[in-house]
Amino acid sequence: MSQRRGSGRPTIADVARAAGVGAITVSRAIRRPEQVSRELRERIDLAIRELNYVPDPQAQVLASGRSNVIGVILPSLTNNVYADVMQGIYDRIEGSGFQIQIANTRYSEDEEDRLLQLFAGQRPAAMLITGIDQSDATRAYLAKADFPVVQIMEHAPDPIDMLIGFSHVEAARVAVRHLMEEGSRRIGFLGARMDPRMLRRREGYRAQLREHGLYDPAREAMTSAPSSVSQGRALSGRLFDAASDTDALFCANDDLALGALFECMARGRRVPEDVAIVGFNDLEMMAAAVPAITSVQTHRYRMGKMAIDMLIDRIEEREVPERGVDLGFQLIVRESSRRG
Amino acid sequence: MSQRRGSGRPTIADVARAAGVGAITVSRAIRRPEQVSRELRERIDLAIRELNYVPDPQAQVLASGRSNVIGVILPSLTNNVYADVMQGIYDRIEGSGFQIQIANTRYSEDEEDRLLQLFAGQRPAAMLITGIDQSDATRAYLAKADFPVVQIMEHAPDPIDMLIGFSHVEAARVAVRHLMEEGSRRIGFLGARMDPRMLRRREGYRAQLREHGLYDPAREAMTSAPSSVSQGRALSGRLFDAASDTDALFCANDDLALGALFECMARGRRVPEDVAIVGFNDLEMMAAAVPAITSVQTHRYRMGKMAIDMLIDRIEEREVPERGVDLGFQLIVRESSRRG
DNA sequence: TTGGCGTCTGGTAGCGCTACCATCACGCTA
DNA sequence: TAGCGTGATGGTAGCGCTACCAGACGCCAA
């Protein structure tokens, strides 16, 4: 009983003593019950409950060399989009025995590199990262890391390891095509933050219009500031001032779309009669707006959940059927763009 | 070189060998450089850089008995309010050497109890919890825990340990008083989720109206469903149907307020002429709406940041001047309630 | 009977770090 | 000169757990 240091909590040795077995057998009874005879297992379980024993995860990690921490690198914590992803992540982690360690790059590639270094020092069990635009150094590092990696939010042909997302270019094309089908020809673009996903949506917008000879750079209003409803008002206001005959807006984010709707209200432009509006992500409020706003639905929650699913499968050495998953998207048409 | 297990990474022993000193001196040079002579310090620093040595946090925790994990228990991850709090938390943690471990109660007290047990098993360095309505068991446990605890989001006289927040009752009273001053007499209430904070806002609403003999239970529309813009539409619609002469709405959340605004638009009720609207939290979109929506500004980011500040001060055994901090709130008056 | 094999169990030696205590050199006082 | 405090350094023994290997036991085939 020379307990010089110690936390005061029961240890595996206490359980072993109480159950009259060796410490290692307790360890096995916890991790691989099938390797321990039924009788001992029951005695050990009883002792565990009586002592209220909880294994010390730090010691487990140190002894086994296996960590139970999944690192998650997201560009933002406040953006609704990533909040939904996080919800999916945490819902899947719940009860899995793994822990999430979140970090936030604020949309900076340098930060991403730095945070990755930091995580690496902690020997994560797996890593989840956002997007497909990592620096060469990061890609190289992750490619030879000995833990599984999943990239989320975008679909692309060459994942570092695993990938789950959808095509922003395609989603934007579908949205713009819809505006064209409803009769718009002078279609504007609103974008903020201009992160890689945003740029791909703009790419889809441009490609779709170019194919029909309708692209006009004067109808693009963009800012590197974060996306917000106020930015939506400011950008759409700027666009209306510069190209007042614009008859539709493809907004690369829902808050921009909502801001555009308000700006139209403030200027007396009718939606959808004078200006049709389409948003992106289909946040809850889109359906409640007046008029309800058309938007591209994306599967953010599922993306977070499935990403963790794939990582855990790989950590536990199960087959992962598909390394690159395309979750797709769906255009939800509402009044803001319906002219039929 | 009998490296039977090992991670392959350099250890403190490697650094010690390279620098020609004892392992413990390396340990000290890292944690308390002032206790090591300048000469050795320089040799050790050099060896660290050459070997690219990073201390293993797991081993540090195990050996020292001190954890660097701060547990954070929030009721929701997707609610904008807590997203802002989290941003503050992570901004303060950045570079501090501490780690955040988030858990999500989904507004359930049972979950809170369970999660707390789980955290306790990991010997956190500190705990941050939301609100002041913990179960007796949780309160008792935390009160005698050997780590600092901070409660956030509300102000109250009897913190478990430390507390930072504001009075929801007072904030609601100020909002309702403002509506009265602008000439409203038949003031309704919209509430969703009905968590403790929401109930206190309702309490403030009721108290303010009762003082003036204006309280009418028929003007309250509530749901236990999560707050959302759609709920704002549904609840305000229900209220207009039941008490159609309602001339103002105090909405206990901004998304409800935005929904109410949309519902007014859909029904042709003018805001603020027919119905004045006040929200709660002052999310960014409130200022961009048309009309702009009056709301109670709360200091969510600061709350998260300061809470971690206080915890770290206490972990590092610095004086914390005030155990209960009232951050207050501010009514931001905009067109949606201005009739003067 | 012997040998071989599989199943269950335990002892020992770490994982990488730090607490605790011992040691030693040095300078100062009596 | 002895004695002693002080500051710098290092050795040892853990922290709580698991990998590795050895041993015990039962069973079956030869």
Side-chain angles (χ1 to χ4, degrees), chain B residues 172-300:
Chain B
R173 288 187 80 122
V174 166
V176 174
R177 185 179 310 137
H178 161 72
L179 286 169
M180 291 170 53
E181 283 165 6
E182 294 289 326
S184 297
R185 285 296 172 270
R186 298 179 299 279
I187 303 172
F189 173 86
L190 302 190
R193 180 70 82 180
M194 307 322 284
D195 63 275
R197 263 88 47 213
M198 184 66 62
L199 294 174
R200 288 195 180 91
R201 289 174 215 158
R202 188 180 68 183
E203 190 189 323
Y205 157 85
R206 287 178 176 175
Q208 182 64 28
L209 288 184
R210 280 211 182 98
E211 265 177 23
H212 297 265
L214 295 173
Y215 176 58
D216 177 355
R219 295 196 200 281
E220 293 181 343
M222 292 168 289
T223 176
S224 60
S227 184
S228 71
V229 181
S230 305
Q231 275 299 336
R233 284 199 64 171
L235 291 172
S236 57
R238 207 205 292 167
L239 190 54
F240 290 143
D241 289 343
S244 81
D245 62 345
T246 297
D247 62 1
L249 292 174
F250 169 55
C251 308
N253 258 338
D254 278 346
D255 40 14
L256 298 178
L258 184 59
L261 173 61
F262 283 132
E263 187 64 21
C264 287
M265 285 168 53
R267 291 179 178 234
R269 298 201 176 202
R270 292 168 305 159
V271 177
E273 294 83 351
D274 302 332
V275 181
I277 296 179
V278 173
F280 201 101
N281 276 319
D282 197 33
L283 301 185
E284 177 269 334
M285 62 174 93
M286 293 293 103
V290 176
I293 304 176
T294 297
S295 191
V296 178
Q297 182 180 67
T298 58
H299 308 291
R300 306 175 294 280

Side-chain angles (χ1 to χ4, degrees), chain A residues 5 9 56 58 62-63 87 91 94 99-101 104 106 114 121-123 229-230 233 284 288, chain B residues 5 9 56 58 62-63 87 91 94 99-101 104 106 114 121-123 229-230 233 284 288:
Chain A
R5 287 147 79 185
R9 304 190 317 159
D56 181 335
Q58 319 282 5
L62 187 59
Q87 185 69 55
D91 280 3
E94 178 83 42
Q99 290 185 352
I100 290 299
Q101 204 50 252
N104 169 7
R106 295 148 210 248
R114 200 183 62 78
Q122 307 184 33
R123 299 189 257 160
V229 181
S230 305
R233 284 199 63 172
E284 176 270 334
Chain B
R5 287 147 80 184
R9 303 192 316 161
D56 181 334
Q58 319 282 4
L62 187 58
Q87 185 69 53
D91 280 2
E94 178 82 42
Q99 290 186 352
I100 290 298
Q101 204 48 252
N104 169 6
R106 294 148 211 250
R114 200 183 63 77
Q122 306 185 33
R123 300 189 257 159
V229 181
S230 305
R233 284 199 64 171
E284 177 269 334

Side-chain angles (χ1 to χ4, degrees), chain A residues 111-304:
Chain A
E111 265 300 281
E112 185 169 77
D113 286 358
R114 200 183 62 78
L115 291 169
L116 205 88
Q117 283 305 315
L118 216 126
F119 272 128
Q122 307 184 33
R123 299 189 257 160
M127 286 285 288
L128 181 157
I129 56 178
T130 306
I132 55 175
D133 300 274
Q134 285 74 32
S135 73
D136 287 349
T138 293
R139 271 192 87 90
Y141 172 77
L142 289 177
K144 50 177 185 271
D146 58 354
F147 47 78
V149 176
V150 66
Q151 295 163 284
I152 64 164
M153 296 310 287
E154 301 196 51
H155 190 73
D158 54 342
I160 296 177
D161 178 3
M162 297 181 292
L163 177 147
I164 175 166
F166 63 96
S167 165
H168 292 251
V169 175
E170 262 320 297
R173 287 186 81 122
V174 166
V176 174
R177 184 180 311 138
H178 161 71
L179 286 169
M180 290 170 53
E181 283 166 5
E182 294 289 327
S184 297
R185 286 297 172 269
R186 298 178 299 279
I187 303 172
F189 173 85
L190 303 190
R193 179 72 80 180
M194 307 323 284
D195 62 275
R197 263 88 48 213
M198 183 67 62
L199 293 175
R200 289 196 181 90
R201 288 174 217 158
R202 187 180 68 183
E203 190 188 323
Y205 156 86
R206 287 178 176 174
Q208 182 63 29
L209 289 185
R210 280 210 182 99
E211 265 178 24
H212 297 265
L214 295 173
Y215 176 58
D216 177 356
R219 295 196 200 281
E220 292 183 344
M222 293 168 289
T223 175
S224 60
S227 184
S228 70
V229 181
S230 305
Q231 275 299 336
R233 284 199 63 172
L235 292 173
S236 58
R238 206 205 291 168
L239 191 54
F240 290 143
D241 289 344
S244 81
D245 62 344
T246 298
D247 63 0
L249 292 174
F250 169 54
C251 307
N253 258 339
D254 278 345
D255 40 14
L256 297 179
L258 185 59
L261 173 61
F262 283 133
E263 187 63 22
C264 287
M265 286 167 53
R267 292 179 177 233
R269 298 202 175 202
R270 293 167 304 159
V271 176
E273 293 84 351
D274 302 331
V275 181
I277 295 180
V278 172
F280 201 101
N281 275 319
D282 198 33
L283 302 185
E284 176 270 334
M285 63 173 93
M286 295 292 104
V290 176
I293 304 175
T294 297
S295 191
V296 178
Q297 182 180 70
T298 58
H299 309 291
R300 305 176 295 281
Y301 176 87
R302 264 183 75 202
M303 216 173 316

